[in-house]
Amino acid sequence: MPVEFRPMSDVGGAEVVGIDVKTPMSEANLATVETGFLDYGVLLFREQPMTALELVAFSRQFGDLQPHVQKSYHHPDAPEVVNMTNRNPDGSFDEAGARRGAIENLRDGWHSDLSYDPNPAKATFLHSLEVTSSGGNTCFTNVARAFAAMPDTLKSRVIGKMVEFPYGGTKMRNKSAAAAADAMDEKTQKQAQAVHPAINVHPVSRRPAIYANPLLARCIQGVSLKESEELLELLFDWVDKPEFHWEHQWTVGDTIMWDNRGGVMHSGRLDYPRGEARRFIRTTVRGGPTEVYCPN
């Protein structure tokens, strides 16, 4: 069966048809999927349940896997896999776990994974094991299109600017992200911080995009705190414009992979019944350093 891409929206994302996630891909099919990944930014493999080890095998075809800094959530069968759950071992609601990548106010939740790392991730794979009866969608925004639509006056103010991205500690401006980071020890929180461009360029497609995100960006370097807040809020308004959004309603066995190198941001909705369990497993493909966008 040939590989087919069915767009999820007019602004990004595609469902992949013709790939069995439990069977190693041929070189030709892998190349096709990688090309689709560049074109769409987000790929969905629908209703193919996997174990943690099967998810490792599938995602490892796209590069080396990177364990998450929050070691308490590592899967017992594979340290490369992160348990994403809103439940403590005793079945009670886990506030920190629920807030890892999800938020009530979508505008404050947009981010790309590992932006607190000097070498952010290439890709994230998220696989659903248990979903709630309503809510909990994962949302995406095309920040390459958002940047392209920005007025030149704003572009000139943010191109070349560098942004601090801490994950944990007192430096965080986003309180929901700070609550999620509380699950890490103090040493790890001190290590989880980086500086990246406000506007980066994708290492492969070469498309520029907004990289500063409202979940983890703290401030813009080299300007006053007032100007930093003004510019970040303006960027976040563009990231959050509805015309660049789409979202996915989960069913058990779905797997989504998304690009963290620029062009796409995501956020989960924290709008589901808290009395219901939500369980996912996740892997991260190792990436490289960000690159400042320098227009010709």
Side-chain angles (χ1 to χ4, degrees):
M1 181 178 182
V3 178
E4 179 185 350
F5 298 96
R6 297 175 181 173
M8 298 170 69
S9 76
D10 293 334
V11 291
E15 178 183 352
V16 184
V17 179
I19 293 293
D20 179 352
V21 298
K22 296 182 182 181
T23 302
M25 284 181 280
S26 66
E27 289 186 10
N29 279 355
L30 180 58
T32 298
V33 173
E34 285 273 24
T35 299
F37 190 46
L38 283 177
D39 291 341
Y40 294 100
V42 177
L43 297 180
L44 164 65
F45 303 84
R46 193 183 294 277
E47 295 182 10
Q48 298 189 59
M50 285 189 282
T51 65
L53 292 178
E54 287 169 339
L55 179 61
V56 167
F58 177 57
S59 52
R60 187 170 277 156
Q61 295 175 92
F62 297 87
D64 294 334
L65 302 187
Q66 180 175 359
H68 198 272
V69 293
Q70 289 183 315
K71 296 180 181 179
S72 60
Y73 290 100
H74 285 184
H75 194 282
D77 295 336
E80 306 96 331
V81 175
V82 176
N83 281 314
M84 304 287 290
T85 179
N86 64 353
R87 285 293 178 267
N88 288 306
D90 63 1
S92 61
F93 187 77
D94 180 354
E95 186 74 34
R99 290 190 177 278
R100 291 170 59 237
I103 201 168
E104 294 92 345
N105 176 14
L106 194 62
R107 183 188 182 276
D108 295 335
W110 297 115
H111 65 288
S112 54
D113 288 333
L114 274 66
S115 52
Y116 55 80
D117 192 303
N119 295 295
K122 171 188 174 181
T124 298
F125 289 76
L126 188 62
H127 179 74
S128 58
L129 300 176
E130 187 173 4
V131 301
T132 53
S133 59
S134 63
N137 289 0
T138 297
C139 309
F140 301 94
T141 180
N142 188 324
V143 289
R145 289 200 181 194
F147 173 73
M150 280 169 42
D152 289 341
T153 51
L154 178 55
K155 288 180 180 178
S156 66
R157 296 181 67 191
V158 295
I159 290 173
K161 295 291 192 297
M162 303 301 292
V163 181
E164 295 180 8
F165 291 83
Y167 189 36
T170 58
K171 293 183 177 182
M172 300 193 72
R173 65 197 296 275
N174 187 305
K175 302 306 179 185
S176 182
D182 281 345
M184 298 189 301
D185 60 66
E186 185 177 348
K187 179 181 178 182
T188 303
Q189 290 188 33
K190 288 181 178 179
Q191 294 173 339
Q193 49 188 306
V195 176
H196 298 294
I199 308 299
N200 81 319
V201 61
H202 193 283
V204 182
S205 73
R206 309 308 296 170
R207 289 188 293 264
I210 302 169
Y211 192 80
N213 68 68
L215 188 71
L216 294 169
R218 174 180 177 259
C219 66
I220 295 176
Q221 294 182 332
V223 301
S224 68
L225 181 59
K226 180 180 179 181
E227 184 177 2
S228 171
E229 285 295 305
E230 176 194 357
L231 290 176
L232 287 178
E233 289 299 318
L234 288 170
L235 286 173
F236 300 161
D237 284 344
W238 278 94
V239 168
D240 194 48
K241 285 185 180 293
E243 57 262 39
F244 306 123
H245 295 185
W246 75 99
E247 56 189 275
H248 176 63
Q249 183 176 348
W250 291 94
T251 55
V252 171
D254 288 351
T255 304
I256 287 185
M257 63 178 293
W258 58 75
D259 200 331
N260 295 294
R261 297 168 294 181
V264 177
M265 292 185 193
H266 67 282
S267 178
R269 291 190 183 275
L270 195 57
D271 62 351
Y272 53 79
R274 292 200 171 198
E276 297 179 17
R278 188 173 187 269
R279 293 193 305 120
F280 291 72
I281 49 177
R282 190 182 95 171
T283 53
T284 303
V285 177
R286 194 179 300 276
T290 51
E291 182 180 342
V292 179
Y293 172 56
C294 297
N296 294 328

